[in-house]
Amino acid sequence: MADPVHGDNTDDAARWWRAYQLADSDQVDELRRLAAAGDDHARRQLASWLSDRAYFGRLADQARLEEAIEVIRPLADAGDDVAELWLARWLADCDRLDELRERAGTGGYYASRELARLLAGHDSLEELRERAAGGGDQDALRALARRLIERDMHEELRKLLEAADADTRSLILDAEGGASSAWMNAVRVLADFGHKASLVHLARTLVAGQGLTAAEMACCRRCAPPGHQRPGGATLIRGGR
């Protein structure tokens, strides 16, 4: 008896091509029928179609995104890597914290990353602290460090760095690639621990005559590249004049 979805002579590539063409021609009802009958290619294409249209314009279409979540979830549960990535992103965009927590708790890499990002967006620092404690959740640690920097919470940032081992400290320093005058106290802490972008920012601040401490000036001079020293000893960074 012929398989009602796949057929005896329809191979995997042909099923993929069929699902692709259906999505490309917006035949979403047929995709839904095939997905419900167990065609995983149709399920992926349907989820992708829904997501593409959910994000059309500035505001997300919540109903389509919710449907995309339900469509892709079985594939994510089966261990499909791309499906896990899509599901985690869409759960975060729908603010589904509880399911993200559940998936992160069972070892979901993408869920852990999106959960940390979402918690940071909600300014849920206490939960980030709990998840980052002991270096157990590196995504939470990076998100926590980034929020401490952006909020210029320099005292907690310094304690976090002082308590960290070398590897964990690198993760914290990598949490913020640049530096900004909006969080100068945090920049000073990062510079104390060798964060290059912060050191450059402090050096430019020195060149601009905005006033640094003696220790900061000495640090800037030590870290300046060859040929970037003024005769008086102050650090000169290209483009900082």
Side-chain angles (χ1 to χ4, degrees), residues 204-236:
R204 286 176 172 160
T205 301
L206 171 61
V207 170
Q210 295 176 9
L212 300 177
T213 68
E216 288 166 347
M217 288 190 287
C219 181
C220 290
R221 291 179 184 124
R222 287 197 305 272
C223 298
H228 287 66
Q229 298 280 347
R230 282 183 173 171
T235 307
L236 177 63

Side-chain angles (χ1 to χ4, degrees), residues 46 117 173 182 196 204 224 238:
L46 174 58
R117 181 177 67 86
L173 293 175
K196 291 182 180 179
R204 286 176 172 160
R238 298 187 200 280

